[in-house]
Amino acid sequence: MRSQIEGSRAVAETVARCRPEVVCAYPISPQTHIVEALSVLVASGELAPCEFVNVESEFGAMSVAIGASAAGARAYTATASQGLLYMAEALYNASGLGLPIVMTVANRAIGAPINIWNDHSDSMSQRDSGWIQLYAETNQEAADLHVQAFRIAEELSLPVMVCMDGFVLTHAVEGIDVPSQEQVDAFLPPFGPQQVLDPDDPMTIGAMVGPDAFTEVRYLAHAKHLRALEVIPRVADEFATTFWRSSGGLVRPYGCLGADTVVVALGSVLGTVKDTVDELRAEGVSIGVLGLTTFRPFPYDAVRAALRGARRVVVLERALAAGMGGIVTADVCGSVPDKPITTVIAGLGGRPVTKKSLRGLLTDAVADRLEPLTFLDLKHDVVERELS
Amino acid sequence: MFEVRIHGRGGQGVVTTAELLSVAAFNEGRQAQAFPTFGSERTGAPVVGFCRIADQPIRSHEPIAAPDAVIIQDATLIHQPDVLAGLRADGYLLVNTSRSLAELGLDAVDRPDRVLTVPATELALTHLGRPLPGAVLLGAFAALTAQVRVESVIAAVRERFSGSVATGNVAAVRDAYDLARRSLQEAAHAITD
Amino acid sequence: MPVQRIKFYQTGSFAVGNRLLDPDQRSVQADTERTNSLTMGHRACQGCGEALGARYVLDAVMRATGNHAVTVNATGCLEVFSTPFPESSWRVPWLHSLFGNAPAVATGVAAALKAKGRTDVRVVGQGGDGGTVDIGLGCLSGMFERNDDVLYVCYDNGGYMNTGVQRSGATPHGAVTTTTPAGNSFRQGKSLPLIAMAHRIPYVATATVADLRDLEYKATRAMEFHGARYLHVLVPCPLGWRTASSETIQIARLATETGSFPVFEAVDGEVTDVTRIRRLRPVEDYLRPQGRFAHLFGDTPRGDVISSIQAEADRNIRTFGLVETTEVS
Amino acid sequence: MPEANSHHPYAITLDVGSSLANKTGSWRTERPVYLDRLPPCNDACPAGENVQEWVARAEEGDYEAAWRQIMVDNPFPAIMGRVCYRPCETACNRATLDEPVGINSIERFLGDEAISRGWSVVVEAPPTGKNVLVVGAGPSGLSAAYHLALRGHQVTVRDDSPEAGGMMRYGIPSYRLTRDVVDAEIQRIVEMGVRLELGTSVTDLGDALVDFDAVFLAVGAHVGRRADIPAGDSARIVDAVSMLAGLAKGEQPLLGRRVAVYGGGNTAMDVARTARRLGASDAIVVYRRTRERMPAHDIEVREALDEGVRMRWLSTIVYAGADRVRIEKMRLDESGFPQPTGEFEELDADSVVLALGQQADLALVRDLPGVEIADGVVQVDGRMMTGHAGLFAGGDMVPGERTVTVAVGHGKQAARNIDAWLRSATYEHPERPELATYDRLNTWYYADAPATLRPQLDVARRITSFDEVTQGLTAENALFEARRCMSCGNCLECDNCFGVCPDNAIIKLGPGQGYEIDLDFCKGCGLCAAECPSGAITMIRERS
């Protein structure tokens, strides 16, 4: 049933309907509303049986989730920014152990300088952690992706990170159709762990692996991600059948077919990009949008197919690899190495990505006036003063 | 698309005001989006809330730079530089005050059909006993902009609050609505006269 | 003539077993059916105190829980020597995650079991002193403060032995490590048992591998409580302490008999029982056999350091009442 | 690449096997070996008892087994438990820890238990047809007879006394050794088929050596050593041996109220204490050296002092009169030998009893060819045989300490050798293992347990009767005392090795079976050896 609620609340209620058995909470903006809402649902008995653990750090949060998952419980936590980095060691561990934990990342910049606003620096820094990464364009999708995330995670026995833009989505109140319990139950079977700490069947989980087998373990991890490229769209299809709406999957092309210029982006900025592109198309500009829902595993084939007809590609991303440029760009290049690609770094540290700016940017792009690496709305006077 | 920007101070319920407005619109079957300025403002600091209302899905999440309406929950903010920024020439302005526009130094924007003051804090104190003008202002907003019906605002208030807080707010919303209607009618008469 | 109750046996109650004891008085380790939670083929050094301590504790826990226990292990010697792929020495369900998170992982396991209604399965977290008093302290403190239903066991060998004998927060005063080449200049180090007690958790105890029966008793007793429990076990490391592999137990015994390592238990943050020193010895007897203290007795003897170590031991003796005072009847 | 496995997730799809595949025994440069060391009690026992073994049986509460283990070596547990001077307890390692195990008291308990329960010994060996004559029915002779009988030989014991027991009957006062105990333990030997011919003097060995296949001489030392003390006509000077023997035969010696006993041995104590019991108000022992140098055992001295016996150390009697003796004070020179000081003193004494030692009556062997006599005793070889083939000798008449226990040991030793000699063989004593010294033990494992004291009669009753002074232990006390044994040098199945091995490389074989080292996994750390309470494990180097 559709209701006008905050994104965090929608995610919390959706997660609750996925019946997690252990939820770990450590406060960090902007994910706090999610675990606050879950704590209320657990305290009220609405979500039961479920253990809500107030941990002492994000490192502890992921660790508790690891223990819970290894003991056969459906485990969930949420974090952002510094918190994600603080749990980085445990992230690799969760994926290395093949534990199907689902975590919301309310994307936020990383300090210093400290900044609580949205960009993708946090989750991008963990792109190689072995977690599946899904990026929500809207709050509706954010909610829906969590249901799919548990399915994907448990089918593959891999952890899944659902990324939603901090504040922009988490704190936005919108009309959202929170999946009903019946729907979720029909879609998401109870967790049947593929490995579990069980006194009746003692198992060693997490043995030390030396040079003789580490490569093989990593190879297998990669293979599992490749398998995820099949599982993710299938789950999205099944979701659409059950819930009567489309969300998730690998990529979301929007007017790509026949477009000379395609803007690749992920997250909530896609809405503004689509608005802008619609205007440009109305003015006769041949331009489309490719939203990346799945960033890890990187859907090379899907991206290549979507960009087949494009003459130029603009990758708009909310994170920067200092000394290198675009993070997503590097992966898109892997899909279409022969196409001209420009990178636009936009919206760092919460700077709004406005339609006005985008319009100017895309106009330049279409006219091939864009630098290979452009910083949207960069205050040139400030940086030049510093650089001089 | 109708875009509203709400200015107030931390602790005055700016976020709630934006949310209530979006819920009121949602209750009328429209698309709505409410969101606050994102930050770590503490009690008393100037804060801004936003609300978009449309009949098509709202995709953009950028802050509202050129609002169709500005609601000022705390008149002491009126001379802050950004408060009226981007407000269209025919945009609406709703100010919570018991003073006149002239007294506030706002003679320049004195467009009686678009600009309205309402003593929302006093109304809130009367009906609620607490100085929370947010919902009250939405009663006046409904009268001023006709973007939402007052009944939708009341429904949103009832969804959000319960007990005496709900009752008090509803009463205050009605009062504010009636007050605003009267002011607007008077202004209309003045223009026709 | 007064009749003396037959309570002393040929080897008293200090040996592992005794053919004369009633079966129910025999230790877990005397039992041929013991779990051998950490079984043979592991790659611990010769005479490893930690291997010994871990088997003692877990076998006792397994008996106490009717073989319904799950173990979470921090990174460290114990983890490395027990599970070099493709071999595992564990005969209990065992999970290794990271160096500093074993208490939190154990919490997660406990939470999962609780959510699943598996009240019959108990959780043990374990790690070395580095993983416990240093990098894992945050997680451990959180586990204590939330009173999670976990027994956390620290096997204290006074340093980072896995990485080549570096100083930890539990390295004793005066000890040479590869990062304190002139001897650890810090004082007694963190007393995690006292820190644990400050959390007012239901049960805190210390023990050593020199007194197996006491260790088994404490592991068993710990399982009688629910909530957060902490067991701190002194496990000499022949490599790091530079002692002969055959001296492991002897050195642990000297640690207690000199007052250097107080053995006690505490319930709800208050000391309830203390293992009295049977044969009080000066700390020098404990220090001298250990290569890591050799510099104290070298060409320029460090009487000052020895005195301060003795003072620390005296303080333990005083604080915990380690020496029985003559009772006037 | 393995097929994507839906059972286990990838990270652990490479299934972890057991470390049992890793044979850490290859790390070893030394290996532990179980061994038996000689416990000091066994080492010290003149009768060659396997003390530790029978104590172990007693610890288990199997008193009969314990008693039978004593009986393997010594037919007189009840007597031993009363009169043995306990070299075992002196040697006991537990003495270093706290107090020695009360071996003697346990032995007495077992001996008494055997008498009261009527436990007997059955000869299982088939008759050999060999006849052996034992001359002397004292402890040595009876011990030899017992051991020979056990081996199937026909034994005849001849003694000129009316009753058997020798010094056990005619030397040791009954308050130390009750006669019913002596009777019972001798009767048990008789019941094994040993022929006792009492009141029969053997005056010539010539016939015997022809009639019997072997002869064991054990006539003892019953002749009191005299001292030439100037004495007045009315002085009453008595010889201790005769006096004690007379008493045993029912005579009432007339010693008077004040008795001076001259000598410092156990006999002197026996006499002084007997004198008190016979009504002497004052019994004073005069000895020329100090208490430390007294040959009497400390326990005897202590009990004598308890009973009011007085001691005059560093004194010699230089003259004995009718009611007093003159003594001269002595001093010890550098070599510890007493020297006269020329200082004199007088003591009231109605009689003087000379307890200056005994001599053997060697008339029987004086003229036998091959028999060598030196220092008043018969010389024997390692087989206890005299220079005369087939003639063996033991007890007080051969060199050695003159105690019942030594005598019993002689009897056993002689019997073994006589048995071998009768079979034209040589008895080979098994090699003695290394001694289990205190430093081999890990005493931390032994609980503190003070020794159990045997109850004693109160002094008032002691000096008015010949009732037995020292009482026995209860079964419970005996058990406690037995369990104080540290099992020096021998595995006591304490499971320490099994428990302390960090590599689980000790295999416990079950009760009575001990342990085995699993060399597949033993890394040779040596903890088992270091933590073995009894020192029954040693480390030996692996051959490269």
Side-chain angles (χ1 to χ4, degrees), chain C residues 252-322:
Chain C
R253 186 176 301 131
L254 286 166
T256 59
E257 299 285 274
T258 55
S260 299
F261 186 86
V263 177
F264 62 93
E265 58 182 337
V267 173
D268 295 331
E270 285 177 30
V271 174
T272 52
D273 197 40
V274 166
T275 302
R276 295 261 159 71
I277 294 174
R278 282 172 65 209
R279 303 173 185 176
L280 182 64
R281 310 269 289 267
V283 291
E284 205 176 317
D285 288 5
Y286 171 54
L287 303 176
R288 213 177 253 285
Q290 301 183 49
R292 61 176 176 161
F293 294 112
H295 62 292
L296 303 180
F297 304 97
D299 295 337
T300 42
R302 294 297 305 274
D304 56 329
V305 177
I306 297 169
S307 303
S308 90
I309 296 171
Q310 181 65 58
E312 204 60 50
D314 291 345
R315 184 193 163 105
N316 284 336
I317 290 169
R318 219 169 40 244
T319 310
F320 290 96
L322 298 178

Side-chain angles (χ1 to χ4, degrees), chain B residues 73-87:
Chain B
Q73 277 199 184
D74 188 321
T76 57
L77 291 166
I78 202 99
H79 296 296
Q80 298 278 337
D82 294 337
V83 167
L84 299 178
L87 180 63

Side-chain angles (χ1 to χ4, degrees), chain A residues 120 124 261-266 269-270 273 288-290 292 295 298 303 307 312-319 325-336 339-346 358 361-362 365 370-376:
Chain A
H120 291 165
M124 284 295 160
T261 305
V262 174
V263 183
V264 179
L266 20 63
V269 76
L270 280 165
V273 173
V289 184
L290 179 66
L292 290 179
F295 180 61
F298 192 80
V303 169
L307 296 180
R312 65 178 77 78
V313 178
V314 178
V315 179
L316 183 81
E317 46 186 316
R318 297 189 90 139
I327 299 165
V328 182
T329 304
D331 292 332
V332 174
C333 277
S335 282
V336 286
K339 291 188 195 289
I341 301 180
T342 52
T343 302
V344 178
I345 306 297
L358 281 176
L361 178 92
L362 296 180
L370 222 49
E371 293 292 319
L373 178 62
T374 301
F375 287 76
L376 186 67

Side-chain angles (χ1 to χ4, degrees), chain D residues 241-463:
Chain D
V241 186
S242 311
M243 184 214 112
L244 291 170
L247 190 67
K249 286 169 185 157
E251 298 164 10
Q252 281 294 104
L254 296 170
L255 298 175
R257 293 188 54 76
R258 295 162 304 183
V259 181
V261 179
Y262 195 26
N266 291 320
T267 309
M269 298 304 132
D270 287 345
V271 169
R273 296 173 68 187
T274 298
R276 289 283 285 149
R277 284 165 174 76
L278 290 172
S281 58
D282 197 12
I284 184 156
V285 171
V286 179
Y287 178 55
R288 57 191 182 134
R289 300 188 224 216
T290 56
R291 172 167 179 174
E292 291 72 44
R293 290 173 183 273
M294 253 180 152
H297 287 96
D298 194 53
I299 199 168
E300 298 284 339
V301 178
R302 234 183 309 126
E303 289 187 1
L305 288 169
D306 286 349
E307 292 168 8
V309 172
R310 294 198 293 139
M311 305 283 171
R312 287 301 295 253
W313 287 293
L314 291 168
S315 305
T316 52
I317 298 178
V318 292
Y319 175 80
D323 56 0
R324 60 184 52 194
V325 295
R326 170 176 286 196
I327 59 173
E328 180 176 6
K329 288 194 176 172
M330 308 295 278
R331 62 171 182 82
L332 297 184
D333 63 16
E334 285 98 35
S335 60
F337 201 79
Q339 299 293 348
T341 59
E343 289 174 52
F344 297 95
E345 217 175 302
E346 301 225 321
L347 281 179
D348 291 340
D350 299 324
S351 61
V352 174
V353 183
L354 299 178
L356 300 168
Q358 292 104 271
Q359 290 170 313
D361 179 359
L362 301 175
L364 207 50
V365 290
R366 191 146 285 148
D367 299 324
L368 269 183
V371 175
E372 188 195 338
I373 294 169
D375 300 329
V377 286
V378 172
Q379 301 300 302
V380 288
D381 62 12
R383 297 175 292 170
M384 307 296 291
M385 191 155 82
T386 65
H388 188 102
L391 179 63
F392 295 77
D396 288 356
M397 67 179 294
V398 304
E401 208 189 338
R402 284 174 174 172
T403 67
V404 174
T405 319
V406 168
V408 167
H410 283 178
K412 179 178 88 170
Q413 211 182 328
R416 279 175 179 162
N417 286 291
I418 291 167
D419 174 64
W421 193 78
L422 291 174
R423 289 184 287 103
S424 307
T426 311
Y427 172 75
E428 294 288 347
H429 198 279
E431 206 174 316
R432 287 166 88 81
E434 189 188 350
L435 192 62
T437 47
Y438 186 75
D439 60 309
R440 300 279 190 190
L441 308 180
N442 192 331
T443 58
W444 192 84
Y445 290 101
Y446 301 102
D448 308 319
T452 317
L453 294 177
R454 278 184 273 193
Q456 293 199 318
L457 282 187
D458 59 73
V459 173
R461 208 162 135 211
R462 274 155 66 174
I463 58 172

Side-chain angles (χ1 to χ4, degrees), chain C residues 137-160:
Chain C
L137 183 57
C139 285
L140 186 59
S141 175
M143 187 206 102
F144 287 163
E145 167 270 317
R146 291 185 301 267
N147 200 26
D148 296 323
D149 190 16
V150 173
L151 167 62
Y152 188 88
V153 186
C154 171
Y155 303 106
D156 176 8
N157 56 21
Y160 291 87

Side-chain angles (χ1 to χ4, degrees), chain C residues 232-251:
Chain C
H232 192 98
V233 188
L234 186 73
V235 292
C237 169
L239 174 81
W241 297 19
R242 291 193 251 150
T243 49
S245 62
S246 61
E247 291 176 329
T248 299
I249 292 173
Q250 173 67 14
I251 289 291

Side-chain angles (χ1 to χ4, degrees), chain D residues 65-193:
Chain D
W67 178 80
R68 292 201 179 280
Q69 180 61 49
I70 300 176
M71 291 297 285
V72 168
D73 298 296
N74 188 333
F76 301 120
I79 295 170
M80 287 296 125
R82 288 169 168 82
V83 302
C84 181
Y85 291 116
R86 319 171 188 182
C88 52
E89 295 188 19
T90 306
C92 179
N93 277 329
R94 181 120 206 170
T96 310
L97 185 64
D98 43 32
E99 295 163 276
V101 175
I103 299 167
N104 184 257
S105 59
I106 308 164
E107 188 170 23
R108 168 166 166 178
F109 168 79
L110 295 171
D112 289 353
E113 193 76 357
I115 293 168
S116 72
R117 294 189 186 277
W119 294 333
S120 61
V121 178
V122 177
V123 177
E124 282 169 359
T128 59
K130 302 283 188 187
N131 289 298
V132 182
L133 175 67
V134 172
V135 184
S140 187
L142 289 173
S143 166
Y146 166 80
H147 286 290
L148 286 165
L150 272 183
R151 286 164 171 79
H153 307 301
Q154 179 59 55
V155 188
T156 304
V157 182
R158 289 187 184 146
D159 196 300
D160 57 0
S161 296
E163 288 184 86
M167 275 297 184
M168 299 188 290
R169 186 179 300 278
Y170 297 110
I172 300 169
S174 62
Y175 61 84
R176 283 216 282 139
L177 178 59
T178 51
R179 297 303 179 242
D180 55 338
V181 167
V182 177
D183 292 343
E185 296 210 311
I186 291 172
Q187 181 58 28
R188 208 160 43 213
I189 296 171
V190 172
E191 281 163 12
M192 289 164 70

